[in-house]
Amino acid sequence: MKAPQIRTLFTRLREANAEPRTELSYGSPFELLVAVILSAQATDKSVNKVTGELFKVARTPAAIAELGIAGLKPFIKSIGLFNTKAKNIIATCRLLCDQHHGMVPDERETLEQLPGVGRKTANVILNTAFGQPTMAVDTHIFRVANRTGLAAGATVRAVEDRLVKVIPTEFLVDAHHWLILHGRYVCKARRPECPTCAIADLCRFRSKTRVDS
Ligand code: SF4
């Protein structure tokens, strides 16, 4: 996709939603970190349900570390991979207390040293909690970027690098959420809603759905 079309694409997404937000509920960078760790292979809705209860009881690294793995598990047992996630969250809380004064770091390298935090999670935290122009490519963004021709790539990292390169600076901080929401609600995996899609004329997907299909 050419630069003027990319600009038009994001202008339209911005017109439809001037202030896109994550659908995870959180009240601090730390709460967002816990929610994002829990969200791997889980829906935002299911994560919000468990964090709603957990954060009533413990909402700081020290308080969750105090719960311990055994104390944390009952809160998160409805989420997939909860055993591993419990271990990672407790280890992360201890590290934050021991090495970062209980604060979530705003640097990629340090974030990626936390248990359960990979590049994608670090990108979400840097972008959503700290307003940095990073791009966390999840399954929705990967699909939208490839279908539209915005940033075609065979791997998540290739798509991430391409998106960061081609998206105009003024759109970059919010682009992550616009693309996720577009993929989640319009450019859906099984049946994209092409007839009502605001960027259909810019999109290069060859198998667009039609009203009567
Ligand atoms: S036209 Fe269809 S395939 Fe292209 S972005 Fe819109 S919903 Fe997705």
Side-chain angles (χ1 to χ4, degrees):
M1 195 179 287
K2 298 218 168 84
Q5 292 172 306
I6 293 175
R7 182 165 286 283
T8 303
L9 184 154
F10 283 103
T11 301
R12 285 191 202 159
L13 294 181
R14 182 171 61 188
E15 279 167 4
N17 183 0
E19 293 187 356
R21 295 280 176 264
T22 176
E23 293 185 314
L24 288 171
S25 305
Y26 70 99
S28 68
F30 173 70
E31 289 185 11
L32 179 64
L33 177 61
V34 172
V36 177
I37 292 174
L38 289 171
S39 72
Q41 295 177 46
T43 63
D44 288 359
K45 203 171 162 189
S46 66
V47 171
N48 290 340
K49 206 167 161 193
V50 304
T51 54
E53 294 306 310
L54 173 63
F55 295 154
K56 277 186 206 161
V57 175
R59 60 191 323 160
T60 63
I64 292 184
E66 184 76 22
L67 287 177
I69 295 172
L72 176 59
K73 276 187 189 177
F75 287 100
I76 66 169
K77 65 180 187 222
S78 60
I79 298 279
L81 307 173
F82 75 95
N83 282 312
T84 307
K85 289 174 182 174
K87 277 185 211 154
N88 284 335
I89 288 170
I90 294 300
T92 282
C93 288
R94 289 184 180 144
L95 258 174
L96 291 176
C97 291
D98 294 347
Q99 297 182 13
H100 301 287
H101 311 288
M103 306 292 285
V104 175
D106 61 358
E107 292 161 1
R108 173 188 303 287
E109 205 174 296
T110 323
L111 275 169
E112 288 185 13
Q113 285 166 3
L114 299 171
V117 179
R119 184 176 179 87
K120 190 173 79 150
T121 297
N123 276 334
V124 174
I125 301 302
L126 292 172
N127 177 265
T128 305
F130 298 116
Q132 295 185 25
T134 56
M135 177 59 64
V137 176
D138 71 347
T139 181
H140 299 299
I141 295 186
F142 188 79
R143 184 174 65 251
V144 171
N146 273 293
R147 275 182 179 168
T148 56
L150 174 62
T155 64
V156 163
R157 184 61 194 270
V159 169
E160 178 190 327
D161 291 345
R162 184 96 192 118
L163 285 170
V164 169
K165 195 168 165 196
V166 301
I167 296 173
T169 312
E170 69 172 290
F171 299 111
L172 202 45
V173 170
D174 288 328
H176 166 71
H177 291 122
W178 279 317
L179 294 176
I180 282 187
L181 294 171
H182 192 69
R184 197 173 275 169
Y185 296 111
V186 183
C187 193
K188 297 181 238 180
R190 289 209 183 150
R191 189 180 156 75
E193 298 193 1
C194 306
T196 55
C197 174
I199 57 171
D201 57 319
L202 306 167
C203 170
R204 289 197 210 140
F205 189 45
R206 288 194 185 150
S207 309
K208 283 181 195 157
T209 54
R210 296 152 45 114
V211 177
D212 55 0
S213 62

